[in-house]
Amino acid sequence: MWLPVLGLVVGVALGLVTNVTVPVAFSSYLSIAILAALDTVLGGIRASLEKSFDGAVFLTGFFTNTLVAALLAYIGNQLGVDLYLAAVVAFGVRLFNNIAAIRRGVFLLLRQRKLNRENAASRAQS
Amino acid sequence: MQRKSLILGVSAISAALGFMLTVQITSRPSYSGNSTSYIDLRTQVDELAQEHQILENDISKANAQLDEYQVAKESGSSLQQVLLNDQKTVEQQAGITPVSGPGIVITIEYDPSVPAVPEDMALYPSMQDQMLAETVNTLFGNGATAISINDQRLVTTSSIRLVSGLAGIEGVNVNKVPITMPYEIMAVGNVQTMQAALTVESLKDYYNMMGVGFKVAAHTEKNGVQVAGYTGALPGQWAKEGNG
């Protein structure tokens, strides 16, 4: 469970140590890619809570969404259309949906655990 | 086994996400104000473009005004040239500038060889100013355009005065400057007319009667006679116009 968190810390440390800088022109593409990646990660957490997590879908979704989002922003920039806004809206909505679903899932999980504990306690008393 | 690979995959993706986030945050230029989005930047670009247009218009107006000033300057310089010419003419007429031209030079000095009358000789010291005035008036009235007595240019405010010292010695002041014999009158103008007038007035005879020689030399060449410019005080030099 702590390994993904450790991975996140390692990634942050790697970014700080390598001191890689992205040109300002590509900064917006990376922002969209991060948004897509966040959406994928939150979608993965939601799926794991709903017991429907698929590793292959998760991995391919991460890379595909990230690349497609950046590509969409690039194409929009070339066409002079703010296509990245579409990606921001789409991923933003999905992000909030996933967060809401995760919140509900966590509540359900906590209530289920509490209920299980109460049942176990009542069984022990009887 | 499958769960282990899954955790590793998620961990790798978390690391990638952390890396991307860090790169993005560290790469982003820091703004002094609030966070600036792409839309804000575009708005700022639009505003700057409008401001640029306004400044372009200002430059056009300033250029047009500059052209007007250039035209005004050119006309002003021609006006200045006319005024300078006027000033030069006025200075010439006022006698401030030296002039040269054909004219005569009269030398007045005591001469024992002239047929003098003793009674008249005694009169000359007290009459020399009148004699000089008579001479220059005759010249001015007969073609002289510029006259000087011992390099003192005669202008409209000039004076020829007889002054007496404590010892009773009488002298002449021209332009309030004392002059002494021999007197040299230089006159630029029509040589023939001036000579004729001097003859008609018999000035030479009068001078000779007083024991004074009166020699007239004509210089008909182009710059035969050079008359100095007036160097004394001008009328408005000390006295200024009052406020009342």
Side-chain angles (χ1 to χ4, degrees):
Chain A
M1 179 63 196
W2 291 105
L3 209 56
V5 178
L6 188 67
L8 192 68
V9 171
V10 168
V12 169
L14 207 63
L16 289 172
V17 169
T18 53
N19 200 18
V20 176
T21 54
V22 177
V24 179
F26 301 115
S27 181
S28 59
Y29 307 148
L30 186 60
S31 301
I32 298 298
I34 287 169
L35 201 63
L38 270 174
D39 170 63
T40 310
V41 168
L42 288 174
I45 294 168
R46 176 188 178 179
S48 68
L49 285 172
E50 292 173 353
K51 310 290 184 191
S52 61
F53 184 82
D54 188 327
V57 172
F58 179 69
L59 286 172
T60 53
F62 178 85
F63 292 109
T64 308
N65 283 350
T66 304
L67 291 174
V68 167
L71 189 68
L72 200 68
Y74 173 75
I75 291 169
N77 202 12
Q78 296 301 312
L79 292 174
V81 182
D82 295 335
L83 269 181
Y84 83 103
L85 282 174
V88 168
V89 172
F91 287 123
V93 170
R94 280 170 55 115
L95 218 62
F96 281 106
N97 283 340
N98 286 337
I99 289 167
I102 290 165
R103 182 171 46 82
R104 281 196 299 271
V106 169
F107 276 138
L108 281 174
L109 199 66
L110 290 175
R111 282 174 189 166
Q112 190 66 45
R113 283 183 181 175
K114 188 181 176 184
L115 199 64
N116 289 343
R117 276 202 300 275
E118 285 173 358
N119 289 337
S122 63
R123 276 200 297 272
Q125 283 177 357
S126 62
Chain B
M1 185 67 191
Q2 192 182 358
R3 182 174 172 79
K4 192 180 175 182
S5 63
L6 186 70
I7 288 173
L8 283 174
V10 171
S11 300
I13 284 173
S14 297
L17 183 63
F19 180 75
M20 286 163 69
L21 276 170
T22 311
V23 167
Q24 173 68 357
I25 289 166
T26 53
S27 299
R28 194 172 134 194
S30 59
Y31 295 102
S32 57
N34 49 6
S35 60
T36 306
S37 70
Y38 180 68
I39 296 171
D40 288 339
L41 285 173
R42 289 196 66 168
T43 309
Q44 286 181 16
V45 168
D46 288 341
E47 288 174 355
L48 285 173
Q50 288 176 2
E51 194 176 351
H52 178 76
Q53 188 61 42
I54 291 168
L55 289 172
E56 287 280 353
N57 293 337
D58 287 348
I59 288 170
S60 300
K61 286 178 185 173
N63 279 331
Q65 202 170 12
L66 187 65
D67 291 340
E68 286 179 10
Y69 286 152
Q70 288 284 359
V71 171
K73 183 187 169 190
E74 285 166 9
S75 62
S77 65
S78 62
L79 181 64
Q80 190 180 19
Q81 190 59 45
V82 170
L83 288 173
L84 282 173
N85 291 337
D86 286 350
Q87 182 190 3
K88 196 175 177 182
T89 307
V90 168
E91 281 179 353
Q92 283 178 349
Q93 290 174 348
I96 293 171
T97 54
V99 293
S100 62
I104 58 174
V105 176
I106 303 168
T107 307
I108 300 168
E109 60 181 334
Y110 286 114
D111 188 356
S113 63
V114 296
V117 178
E119 293 80 14
D120 294 336
M121 283 177 69
L123 292 174
Y124 181 73
S126 59
M127 286 184 64
Q128 53 185 327
D129 60 321
Q130 296 175 39
M131 294 301 290
L132 282 173
E134 178 68 22
T135 307
V136 295
N137 284 341
T138 301
L139 293 172
F140 267 130
N142 293 279
T145 54
I147 298 175
S148 69
I149 303 174
N150 287 17
D151 285 335
Q152 286 298 319
R153 178 74 172 268
L154 298 181
V155 294
T156 51
T157 54
S158 290
S159 59
I160 301 171
R161 288 176 182 161
L162 183 73
V163 290
S164 297
L166 290 173
I169 300 169
E170 293 168 322
V172 174
N173 279 10
V174 176
N175 291 343
K176 299 176 185 175
V177 175
I179 60 171
T180 55
M181 289 277 247
Y183 302 135
E184 190 179 54
I185 300 172
M186 304 178 88
V188 172
N190 191 321
V191 176
Q192 290 180 341
T193 309
M194 287 190 292
Q195 279 183 316
L198 291 173
T199 306
V200 168
E201 295 290 332
S202 302
L203 282 170
K204 184 180 178 184
D205 296 337
Y206 284 118
Y207 274 102
N208 288 347
M209 284 166 66
M210 296 176 184
V212 178
F214 188 85
K215 294 176 184 171
V216 179
H219 298 274
T220 53
E221 56 269 29
K222 191 179 178 184
N223 293 320
V225 176
Q226 292 187 339
V227 177
Y230 177 74
T231 55
L234 294 169
Q237 187 169 349
W238 301 109
K240 302 296 179 188
E241 194 172 341
N243 291 327

